[in-house]
């Protein structure tokens, strides 16, 4: 078994043992509850908003929580003196995180499919989840790198949600309108994420969708560079300096 | 096995070096003790040698090759035993060991080690339910699970009862007997005296003394014999120089005419040497 596979399967095992997967599934039931309570003729748009909320927030929170557990239990020290390189460490966590994202959304999607025959490009949605989830997992890594404790990490996450998620959500709910506001929102990765998710409900591939995809692809590469670069400093700090 | 020359290290944001130019060598098959009060740079030195810290100045060679030239496979060769718990608390002892074992190409018989350290019957228990002593013993198994050639141990018997401390010390001695090399950091001078071939005392980021425990005791002790004896129901004490003991008439009379209660050569204990060497730092 390769080191990557050991790390990846270890992540999944711990997600189960630490009830992270359970929490993730509970979140999906919460989303289902919301879908059930909303009284609109077509739940597709609302489903897309939930998907957006889930991927963006859970990808960041899950990375933060798993690394925090490992840090709290001293396991990071033990991992950092094992034959693991940074790529294996980062990628195993990111991919395990994506699996968790996919499970949550699959549950909500199945419910939506049962209640209403919603029309979604499933392959497109899968690719969007992978891209958005990877981008935001890397955001999670960077927040963890910059946080000295759990509270600081939560504050970092809250800052991201307030600055990047809420404006996009306000626009999605139609609470704030206007071209200027919409155009400014295109600076945010969360707007690109929302655009990409919405595009999976059908319709032509517009310039906006291409722009959002390119934005997230380049953004993911840029974040990957910083996640990789900051890893060593993080290791030194977590080794007890 | 390890050769350290003029090692210096400064933590980012610090104005002063924590390690201020140290030199020492750890020979293959020896147990090397790194001693000193807290905060003098022992852990930093160990972290540099285990490549948890980089950007050091000076030269460190492992098996005649600079440690900066090694990739992640450096860790296939070494085992690191931590003082604090380093296991997933919601996983069982066996699940923890299985996970870490799969990261290595060489895998030790952990069941045999669990049995020897009295943890086999608890292997299916979550580590979070373990006592402090059980976690220390599990840490020790974690350090050995890849059959390392070089072992870094930080206070391996701290918090253990005498029986389990004895088992761990025996296992360290056996590891050495099989050709293994150990860097031991501890405050327990009994362990040092029993296990170490060489010891280095650190103070203020420097090595202030390196020698064998026996030589240190002779160097820092006085060559005298202290005798406690009973003289007409009165307990008396006398000191005699070791050098001319056989011709010392007073000594010969004391042992001939009195009941000897105790007799001790006056080499210094390692505890006192520790305080004497590092006390000023």
């Amino acid at each position: 078994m390769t080191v990557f596979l050991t790390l990846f399967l270890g992540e999944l095992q711990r997600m189960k043992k630490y009830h992270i997967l359970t929490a993730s599934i509970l979140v999906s039931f919460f989303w289902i509850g919301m879908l059930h309570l909303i009284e609109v003729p077509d739940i597709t748009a609302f489903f897309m908003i939930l998907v957006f909320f889930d991927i963006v927030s859970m990808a960041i929170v899950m990375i933060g929580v798993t690394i925090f557990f490992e840090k709290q239990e001293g396991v990071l020290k033990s991992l950092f003196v094992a034959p693991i390189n940074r790529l294996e460490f980062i990628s195993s966590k990111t991919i395990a995180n994506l699996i968790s994202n996919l499970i949550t959304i699959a549950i909500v999607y199945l419910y939506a499919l049962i209640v209403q025959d919603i029309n979604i490009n499933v392959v497109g949605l899968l690719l969007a989840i992978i891209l958005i989830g990877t981008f935001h997992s890397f955001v999670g890594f960077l927040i963890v790198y910059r946080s000295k404790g759990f509270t600081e990490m939560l504050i970092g996450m809250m800052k991201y949600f307030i600055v990047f998620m809420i404006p996009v959500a306000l626009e999605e709910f139609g609470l704030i309108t206007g071209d200027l506001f919409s155009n400014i929102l295109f600076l945010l990765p969360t707007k690109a994420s929302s655009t990409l998710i919405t595009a999976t409900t059908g319709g032509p591939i517009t310039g906006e969708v291409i722009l959002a995809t390119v934005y997230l692809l380049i953004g993911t590469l840029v974040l990957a560079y910083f996640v990789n670069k900051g890893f060593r400093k993080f290791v030194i700090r977590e080794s007890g300096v | 096995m390890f050769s350290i020359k003029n090692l210096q290290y400064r933590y980012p944001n610090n104005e002063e070096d924590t390690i201020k130019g140290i030199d020492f060598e750890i020979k293959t098959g020896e147990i090397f003790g790194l001693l000193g009060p807290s905060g003098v740079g022992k852990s930093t030195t160990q972290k540099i040698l285990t490549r948890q810290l980089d950007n050091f100045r000076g030269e460190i060679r492992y098996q005649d090759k600079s440690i900066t030239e090694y990739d992640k496979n450096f860790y296939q060769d070494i085992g690191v035993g931590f003082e604090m718990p380093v296991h997933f608390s919601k996983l069982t002892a066996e699940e923890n060991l299985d996970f870490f074992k799969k990261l290595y190409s060489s895998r030790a018989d952990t069941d045999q080690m669990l049995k020897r350290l009295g943890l086999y019957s608890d292997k299916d228990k979550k580590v979070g339910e373990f006592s402090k002593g059980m976690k220390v013993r599990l840490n020790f198994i974690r350090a050995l699970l890849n059959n390392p050639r070089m072992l870094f141990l930080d206070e391996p018997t701290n918090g253990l009862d005498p029986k389990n401390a004895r088992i761990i010390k025996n296992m360290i001695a056996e590891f050495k007997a099989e050709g293994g090399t150990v860097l031991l950091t501890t405050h327990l001078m009994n362990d040092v005296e029993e296990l170490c071939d060489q010891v280095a005392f650190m103070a203020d980021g420097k090595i202030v003394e390196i020698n064998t425990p026996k030589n240190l005791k002779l160097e820092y002790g006085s060559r005298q014999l202290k005798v406690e004896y009973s003289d007409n129901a009165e307990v008396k004490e006398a000191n005699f120089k070791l050098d001319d003991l056989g011709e010392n008439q007073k000594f010969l009379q004391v042992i001939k005419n009195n009941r000897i209660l105790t007799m001790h050569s006056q080499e210094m204990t390692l505890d006192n040497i520790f305080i004497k060497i590092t006390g000023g730092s």
Side-chain angles (χ1 to χ4, degrees), chain B residues 28-56:
Chain B
T28 304
E30 81 171 0
I31 302 181
F32 189 97
L34 195 56
L35 316 173
S38 304
V40 294
K42 300 187 303 290
S43 296
T44 302
T45 305
Q46 184 159 323
K47 279 176 194 160
I48 295 169
L49 298 187
T50 53
R51 297 185 61 202
Q52 293 175 77
L53 296 177
D54 49 18
N55 293 329
F56 59 84

Side-chain angles (χ1 to χ4, degrees), chain B residues 53-107:
Chain B
L53 296 177
D54 49 18
N55 293 329
F56 59 84
R57 306 190 300 283
E59 191 186 24
I60 303 171
R61 297 184 79 78
Y62 172 67
Q63 306 270 60
D64 290 327
K65 190 171 146 185
S66 170
I67 61 162
T68 54
E69 290 172 30
Y70 283 91
D71 61 9
K72 66 171 187 170
N73 287 318
F74 172 74
Y75 293 110
Q76 298 282 4
D77 245 23
I78 69 162
V80 183
F82 294 94
E83 187 187 2
M84 304 304 283
V86 288
H87 288 96
F88 297 105
S89 65
K90 291 195 191 293
L91 263 59
T92 66
E94 190 170 40
E95 285 167 342
N96 267 287
L97 293 174
D98 279 350
F99 169 72
F100 283 110
K101 217 154 64 162
K102 283 177 191 157
L103 298 171
Y104 295 92
S105 50
S106 176
R107 294 161 194 176

Side-chain angles (χ1 to χ4, degrees), chain A residues 1-11 14 63 67 70 76 79-97 138 141 145 224 227-228 231, chain B residues 71-73 75-76 99 102-104:
Chain A
M1 196 186 288
T2 64
V3 168
F4 167 76
L5 207 55
T6 302
L7 289 172
F8 172 67
L9 294 175
E11 288 293 334
R14 293 193 296 277
I63 287 288
I67 296 181
E70 287 171 1
L76 283 179
L79 284 170
F80 294 156
V81 293
I84 299 167
N85 64 35
R86 66 184 85 180
L87 186 68
E88 288 161 341
F89 181 86
I90 294 164
S91 59
S92 62
K93 282 209 178 305
T94 306
I95 295 172
N97 204 19
F138 289 165
F141 272 105
Y145 287 177
V227 169
N228 188 45
F231 185 76
Chain B
D71 61 9
K72 66 171 187 170
N73 287 318
Y75 293 110
Q76 298 282 4
F99 169 72
K102 283 177 191 157
L103 298 171
Y104 295 92

